[in-house]
Amino acid sequence: MAPPSSEEPVCAAAEAAGAGAISKVLVVIAMQTEALPLVTRFQLVEAAADESIFPKGAPWTRYHGDYKGLHIDLVWPGKDPVLGVDSVGTVSAALVTYASIQLLKPDLIINAGTAGGFKARGAGIGDVFLASDVAFHDRRIPIPVFDSYGIGARKTFETPNIVKELNLKVGKLSTGDSLDMSPHDETTILSNEATLKDMEGAAVAYVADLFSTPAIFVKAVTDIVDGEKPTAEEFLQNLISVTMALDQAVLQVVDFVSGKRISDL
Amino acid sequence: MAPPSSEEPVCAAAEAAGAGAISKVLVVIAMQTEALPLVTRFQLVEAAADESIFPKGAPWTRYHGDYKGLHIDLVWPGKDPVLGVDSVGTVSAALVTYASIQLLKPDLIINAGTAGGFKARGAGIGDVFLASDVAFHDRRIPIPVFDSYGIGARKTFETPNIVKELNLKVGKLSTGDSLDMSPHDETTILSNEATLKDMEGAAVAYVADLFSTPAIFVKAVTDIVDGEKPTAEEFLQNLISVTMALDQAVLQVVDFVSGKRISDL
């Protein structure tokens, strides 16, 4: 057998490192206010009408571009066609995640967004968390087994190296379609042991799991759920500034992901 | 101009009647127990693995067949891959409706299923209703305009001739992801003026509207929400018998639809 040329071992090593390297990242975001700073940060461009991958009628919007060896697609469910507000909540998030997985075949999903936080569990305004677990808190089906289906608790894809390297807080996330919190929601959120409360995460996780796509959840705290101020007021007050913290954390995560394999996360 | 041959007017009339005649009907059903009697009734066959239109990983199940000049596809969200129960609720219903619209291009959607009924609004066990309106009752977003988006109230596709011909009751439908009803849900259901309460309808309507597909909602009452009995118990007790009433009503609707145009409904 001929000895390898001087280049060959280098190539082989590079190939080994490259084997299974993450190349396509899908960022799923619920609100335009949360999405635009990341669009700017990664210098993404909005998909033109003639390169739209989504079917006619879908308000879903896609931005895309290359960044440090990754192809990034950022999608958000867009504005409601009739009312003109962001299409927040589980149904829209599930739909755009599903369509994007099928059409873009991402290696990794990052669901980034704002969330309510529980100070009793250590959350403060502007904190950025990675969610270790997700569950729903507004799907009560008091029939055996259906009850577990409704709650839909699942562990998210584990990323011990991201947690260690970026020094992010870790907590459980509970998802529901209301911005406020009813007493029934609160009971379930407590039983879900959630530090964070959002309106999309568990739905994104459900769809990602169905199609075996690793998904991580980066959530920045805009309002303290167990605090004094009304959620809607506090949410709107902090949305812009907390979005900057979110933006910074997503940038760090993507920088970490660049050149890595899924198993390196 | 030559006079038309004796056949021509007949052909023209037949063509006019046929122009836009409904050919593809998509039936969306949440539970296997509700789906199987209709599968039998319309002699549908389950799509084999090699003719599956849904992506690998999706638990969604499709039955199909021809009936009185119509091609019928009946889909249900299938069993949860981990827990083995029917994938009820808005997220699964929205996903399977979306995928089916894209892949099957139906002319008409029939969302058939069981529902809770309010006796104060005239509902009794076994009654079958067509929903005139749908809305959500568990998506509270107390920010102007977002509040309306959350409720998502919309009129369904109007079918005055079906209502008249089949003598079905008509009422408003309110949708949420819980089988029970919390006080917060109740307040919204009252403000939605709902006679019926289900777990999928408004999500199916949302997706159908996005993609401009006419959708009708046939709902049979399994339990009285404002009655004495616990919902889960009454629901399970009546599920089989009420499904027969539902089955009969859907058959009548499909018989009526056969040979008609959308504008004839």
Side-chain angles (χ1 to χ4, degrees):
Chain A
M1 217 165 96
S5 80
S6 64
E7 276 91 13
E8 277 188 30
V10 178
C11 290
E15 264 176 36
I22 297 165
S23 71
K24 291 189 283 184
V25 174
L26 173 68
V27 182
V28 178
I29 295 202
M31 298 184 75
Q32 190 173 35
T33 310
E34 298 162 340
L36 293 185
L38 286 170
V39 167
T40 306
R41 179 73 75 153
F42 292 115
Q43 300 188 286
L44 307 180
V45 294
E46 186 169 351
D50 63 351
E51 50 172 9
S52 177
I53 56 170
F54 298 130
K56 187 169 177 293
W60 315 328
T61 305
R62 180 173 70 101
Y63 300 86
H64 61 104
D66 294 315
Y67 176 84
K68 295 192 179 176
L70 298 168
H71 185 77
I72 299 179
D73 286 287
L74 184 152
V75 295
W76 67 288
K79 301 284 185 187
D80 183 81
V82 176
L83 296 166
V85 294
D86 294 301
S87 304
V88 298
T90 62
V91 165
S92 294
L95 288 171
V96 75
T97 301
Y98 168 71
S100 300
I101 289 175
Q102 298 310 318
L103 297 166
L104 301 167
K105 313 278 181 213
D107 300 312
L108 176 70
I109 292 174
I110 301 173
N111 175 218
T114 56
F118 291 83
K119 67 178 181 198
R121 289 191 173 270
I125 299 287
D127 283 352
V128 182
F129 281 81
L130 274 186
S132 59
D133 300 72
V134 297
F136 293 94
H137 56 252
D138 60 354
R139 312 196 325 173
R140 301 176 308 275
I141 314 175
I143 297 174
V145 194
F146 276 102
D147 49 6
S148 300
Y149 165 81
I151 292 167
R154 60 190 75 231
K155 287 212 160 295
T156 61
F157 181 70
E158 286 188 53
T159 56
N161 296 320
I162 291 181
V163 170
K164 196 166 57 185
E165 186 82 11
L166 304 189
N167 199 25
L168 294 170
K169 291 190 171 189
V170 175
K172 295 185 181 186
L173 170 66
S174 192
T175 297
D177 275 306
S178 294
L179 184 64
D180 68 11
M181 181 173 72
S182 73
H184 278 67
D185 291 348
E186 186 172 14
T187 302
T188 311
I189 288 171
L190 286 173
S191 108
N192 288 343
E193 300 176 331
T195 305
L196 303 164
K197 170 183 176 291
D198 83 343
M199 296 173 66
E200 291 85 16
V204 173
Y206 172 74
V207 176
D209 256 21
L210 280 184
F211 302 102
S212 306
T213 308
I216 62 177
F217 300 82
V218 184
K219 300 281 164 174
V221 176
T222 43
D223 57 279
I224 296 301
V225 185
D226 52 350
E228 303 299 312
K229 293 190 191 168
T231 290
E233 188 184 305
E234 197 174 24
F235 169 75
L236 292 173
Q237 206 167 59
N238 295 321
L239 182 57
I240 303 291
S241 65
V242 172
T243 294
M244 288 175 63
L246 176 68
D247 173 27
Q248 186 59 32
V250 172
L251 180 71
Q252 289 179 319
V253 169
V254 172
D255 280 341
F256 184 86
V257 164
S258 165
K260 301 278 197 316
R261 290 168 298 191
I262 284 292
S263 57
D264 296 332
L265 304 183
Chain B
M1 216 164 96
S5 82
S6 65
E7 274 91 11
E8 276 185 32
V10 177
C11 290
E15 263 174 37
I22 297 165
S23 71
K24 292 189 284 185
V25 174
L26 173 68
V27 182
V28 178
I29 295 201
M31 299 185 75
Q32 190 173 35
T33 310
E34 299 162 339
L36 292 185
L38 286 170
V39 167
T40 306
R41 179 73 76 154
F42 292 115
Q43 299 188 287
L44 307 180
V45 295
E46 186 168 352
D50 63 349
E51 49 172 9
S52 177
I53 56 169
F54 299 130
K56 188 170 175 292
W60 315 328
T61 304
R62 180 173 69 102
Y63 300 86
H64 60 104
D66 294 314
Y67 176 85
K68 295 193 180 176
L70 298 168
H71 186 76
I72 299 180
D73 285 288
L74 183 152
V75 295
W76 67 288
K79 300 284 185 187
D80 183 81
V82 176
L83 297 166
V85 294
D86 295 300
S87 304
V88 298
T90 61
V91 164
S92 294
L95 289 170
V96 76
T97 301
Y98 168 71
S100 300
I101 289 176
Q102 299 310 317
L103 297 165
L104 300 168
K105 314 276 181 216
D107 300 313
L108 176 70
I109 292 174
I110 300 173
N111 174 219
T114 56
F118 291 82
K119 67 178 181 198
R121 289 192 173 269
I125 300 288
D127 284 352
V128 182
F129 281 81
L130 275 187
S132 59
D133 301 71
V134 297
F136 293 93
H137 56 252
D138 59 355
R139 312 197 324 173
R140 302 175 308 276
I141 314 174
I143 296 175
V145 193
F146 276 101
D147 50 5
S148 300
Y149 165 80
I151 292 167
R154 60 191 74 234
K155 286 211 159 298
T156 62
F157 180 70
E158 287 189 52
T159 56
N161 296 321
I162 291 181
V163 171
K164 196 165 57 187
E165 185 81 8
L166 304 189
N167 199 24
L168 293 171
K169 290 188 171 190
V170 175
K172 296 185 180 186
L173 170 66
S174 192
T175 297
D177 275 305
S178 295
L179 184 63
D180 69 9
M181 181 173 72
S182 73
H184 278 68
D185 291 348
E186 187 172 13
T187 302
T188 312
I189 288 171
L190 286 173
S191 108
N192 288 344
E193 301 175 330
T195 305
L196 303 163
K197 169 183 176 291
D198 83 343
M199 296 173 66
E200 290 86 15
V204 172
Y206 172 74
V207 176
D209 256 22
L210 280 184
F211 302 103
S212 306
T213 308
I216 62 178
F217 299 82
V218 185
K219 299 283 165 173
V221 176
T222 43
D223 56 278
I224 296 301
V225 186
D226 51 351
E228 303 300 312
K229 293 191 190 168
T231 291
E233 188 184 307
E234 198 174 24
F235 169 74
L236 292 173
Q237 207 167 57
N238 295 320
L239 182 57
I240 304 291
S241 65
V242 172
T243 294
M244 288 175 62
L246 176 67
D247 174 26
Q248 186 59 31
V250 172
L251 180 72
Q252 289 179 319
V253 168
V254 172
D255 279 341
F256 185 86
V257 163
S258 165
K260 301 278 198 316
R261 290 169 297 191
I262 284 292
S263 57
D264 296 331
L265 304 184

